[in-house]
Amino acid sequence: MKGYRRPDGRFGIRNHVLILSTVGCANMMVRKIAAQVPGAVALENSKGCGQVGSGREIMRRCLFNLTLNPNVYGTLVVGLGCETTKPYELADEIRQVSDKPLEVITIQDCGGSVRALERGVEIAQKLVEDASKVEREPMELGDLLLGTNCGGSDATSGLAANPVIGVVSDKVVAAGGTVMLGETTELIGTEDILASRAATPEVADDIYTIVHGLEQSFVEAGVDVRGANPSPGNMKGGLSTLEEKALGGISKGGTTPITQVVPYGVRPTESGLTIMDTPGYDIESVSGMTCGGAQVLIFSTGRGTPIGNPLIPVIKVTGNCETYARMSDNIDFDASGAVEGTSTIAELGESLYQMLEDVCDGAEPAAERLGFDDFSIFHNQEVWCTCIP
Amino acid sequence: MAKRALLMADADDVATVIEAVCAGDTVAVETKQGEAVEELASAHDIPRFHKIALRDMAAHDIVHKYGQVIGEATAPIKRGDYVHIHNIESIKTGVER
């Protein structure tokens, strides 16, 4: 396979110019800039100001790490100018660790939106022009960070789609690459199995910390996780309990030892099978893995979903032949042969791996082809007046 | 013609029906490798990809699938019964009972 070599030695499988908003007040501006510059991708930010504590911390590191995603050639950071994200400071910090092209403007410093748009388009056009000169070079499977996610699961996800993804995960890990499991809500009930597969006692501790910590926060909030998980669609699809859903879910990580647990939006420093502490909400989970450096993601769905991502291709796999037939415009790979008894998990894993190679080499999975650019950063710890119920 | 059901691990208490089952239908349970395990009569209509009980269970008995715990019975369950949210629930509720 071939990819775009970045200054840090990593390989992108796409060559995006990122127009990154640091605050909601600059969202319209990044949209307008990207609309005038084919080849530029706008990423909006639902927050970026008025945030404190871990919420601010998560937001900032996600913006930071997005610019480092190997699929990004270079970034134009666009701020309003007075937000807590501090766009110039953010850009300076990124420049200390990255030699990728990085520019920054604020609407206030440009002197209003008309001039900011003009300046932004000018910079973005130059970035796209420079990006187009990057040649694709040979890269190894071991250069990949493959994200995985489930969404709209049904019972076939655990019977077929996830074990088939697991075959691909094992191949990537065997080649020296990195695979990422997430969705901590959907690890509940599997923590003992995962911890027994941890590469070190510290990793086992981290697995228990994120799962028990999440359970504890449900208890403290007095909420019953069963209210949201399994979802109504999961139940209709034959999943009765959170544990059943989770046991089916973790098989997409394959069978190798778990080498690291990373916080939301953080890129792993270890290769092998890793876990990112992400929420169960698909868009936030996939977005977190994008911040964490995934170049591509394989997504299993029993009931069908169009979800994609602006920076990384999302390959959709279902184990449900009816869903595949009904939502063929959104789903790339039919793993139902493993349920129907017409093919084996190993055979299907091999063909899904071929599809992954094709996508790395430029083939567009459904979500990318149709332009699904769903993106949302998880931000916890909202502090706000709750005096009036 | 018996309806197919998949057994995910040897000691599982439930199997997943691969075709919709009507009460009274014969269900043929097989492993992932396609080896026939047993046949039983279904006591209920069971939607496609939902679960059938392979043995009798009492309320509060632990229910296994994938060779692991998926929850506990909330009512007595007979072999051949439909198993879903009406008769099993998560042990990991998030709220201490």
Side-chain angles (χ1 to χ4, degrees):
Chain A
M1 56 179 80
K2 284 185 169 180
Y4 303 91
R5 183 196 282 276
R6 303 304 178 201
D8 60 3
R10 291 188 166 85
F11 281 87
I13 62 164
R14 297 293 184 268
N15 198 33
H16 297 301
V17 166
L18 173 59
I19 315 297
L20 182 64
S21 167
T22 54
V23 64
C25 320
N27 283 350
M28 180 64 125
M29 187 54 60
V30 296
R31 282 204 304 273
K32 281 180 178 294
I33 293 170
Q36 293 195 29
V37 185
V41 176
L43 269 193
E44 296 178 37
N45 187 354
S46 62
K47 299 283 289 186
C49 200
Q51 289 180 288
V52 292
S54 66
R56 177 185 176 278
E57 206 36 57
I58 291 170
M59 174 60 63
R60 223 161 178 282
R61 72 169 176 245
C62 284
L63 295 175
F64 189 107
N65 287 342
L66 277 169
T67 71
L68 305 182
N69 184 294
N71 287 1
V72 172
Y73 163 77
T75 303
L76 169 61
V77 173
V78 181
L80 173 60
C82 50
E83 62 270 34
T84 50
T85 313
K86 297 183 182 168
Y88 292 108
E89 196 183 283
L90 180 73
D92 283 345
E93 286 169 21
I94 296 168
R95 287 192 187 104
Q96 283 170 27
V97 302
S98 167
D99 294 326
K100 283 187 183 185
L102 185 79
E103 304 285 343
V104 55
I105 59 170
T106 70
I107 298 168
Q108 289 167 353
D109 279 351
C110 286
S113 57
V114 171
R115 280 186 278 265
L117 178 60
E118 194 182 298
R119 182 76 187 116
V121 167
E122 199 180 311
I123 295 170
Q125 271 173 343
K126 176 74 167 72
L127 285 170
V128 169
E129 192 187 320
D130 293 345
S132 70
K133 293 173 188 156
V134 182
E135 300 272 350
R136 285 157 56 88
E137 300 173 36
M139 65 178 273
E140 306 291 328
L141 179 57
D143 293 318
L144 267 195
L145 198 171
L146 169 68
T148 66
N149 207 88
C150 294
S153 297
D154 71 5
T156 66
S157 299
L159 301 182
N162 289 328
V164 167
I165 296 171
V167 173
V168 178
S169 295
D170 281 348
K171 269 179 102 87
V172 172
V173 169
T178 308
V179 172
M180 198 175 261
L181 270 178
E183 303 168 279
T184 309
T185 333
E186 290 144 44
L187 303 181
I188 294 177
T190 65
E191 61 271 25
D192 292 336
I193 302 170
L194 294 171
S196 73
R197 286 172 51 194
T200 67
E202 290 74 25
V203 173
D205 282 350
D206 287 346
I207 291 167
Y208 283 118
T209 299
I210 61 168
V211 173
H212 291 163
L214 182 63
E215 284 184 284
Q216 188 57 34
S217 61
F218 284 127
V219 172
E220 279 164 14
V223 293
D224 189 338
V225 64
R226 290 175 303 177
N229 223 324
S231 71
N234 293 153
M235 291 183 191
K236 206 173 165 204
L239 295 172
S240 309
T241 67
L242 185 51
E243 294 94 317
E244 183 183 14
K245 180 176 172 180
L247 287 161
I250 61 169
S251 59
K252 64 188 179 296
T255 57
T256 58
I258 295 160
T259 56
Q260 194 175 15
V261 177
V262 292
Y264 183 81
V266 170
R267 60 163 59 200
T269 51
E270 299 288 329
S271 56
L273 177 60
T274 63
I275 296 175
M276 179 181 280
D277 187 14
T278 71
Y281 178 44
D282 298 332
I283 295 175
E284 290 178 345
S285 181
V286 173
S287 299
M289 292 185 186
T290 309
C291 298
Q295 301 108 314
V296 58
L297 187 135
I298 307 186
F299 190 111
S300 78
T301 180
R303 306 191 58 83
T305 170
I307 180 184
N309 184 275
L311 297 180
I312 70 174
V314 175
I315 302 170
K316 223 65 65 57
V317 179
T318 188
N320 186 325
C321 59
E322 287 163 11
T323 299
Y324 186 71
R326 209 175 53 244
M327 291 184 64
S328 57
D329 56 338
N330 297 122
I331 295 172
D332 303 290
F333 191 88
D334 179 7
S336 66
V339 175
E340 309 297 333
T342 52
S343 28
T344 66
I345 301 277
E347 287 163 2
L348 290 163
E350 193 51 48
S351 11
L352 180 60
Y353 172 72
Q354 288 307 321
M355 181 176 280
L356 173 68
E357 272 202 348
D358 292 346
V359 167
C360 288
D361 278 332
E364 293 183 331
E368 191 175 28
R369 198 167 59 237
L370 297 176
F372 282 90
D373 58 355
D374 311 284
F375 189 83
S376 178
I377 294 174
F378 162 78
H379 33 84
N380 69 344
Q381 209 180 48
E382 287 299 304
V383 181
W384 190 240
C385 175
T386 52
C387 319
I388 302 167
Chain B
M1 178 83 182
K3 302 283 177 68
R4 290 176 60 226
L6 267 184
L7 181 72
M8 297 309 286
D10 285 348
D12 284 357
D13 302 309
V14 294
T16 305
V17 303
I18 302 307
E19 307 156 73
V21 165
C22 297
D25 280 355
T26 301
V27 174
V29 180
E30 57 186 62
T31 64
K32 285 184 282 182
Q33 289 73 36
E35 294 153 15
V37 178
E38 59 176 315
E39 288 196 348
L40 72 167
S42 179
H44 304 111
D45 292 354
I46 305 178
R48 189 172 197 220
F49 304 136
H50 288 230
K51 294 176 289 297
I52 185 168
L54 300 180
R55 60 182 61 93
D56 294 351
M57 286 170 268
H60 304 299
D61 275 4
I62 298 296
V63 184
H64 297 85
K65 181 186 167 186
Y66 298 110
Q68 304 289 341
V69 176
I70 61 163
E72 68 173 21
T74 53
I77 299 172
K78 292 265 178 235
R79 175 176 158 87
D81 279 359
Y82 175 30
V83 176
H84 198 28
I85 51 177
H86 59 283
N87 55 12
I88 70 169
E89 72 173 11
S90 174
I91 296 171
K92 301 277 185 178
T93 65
V95 173
E96 275 157 13
R97 287 166 297 169

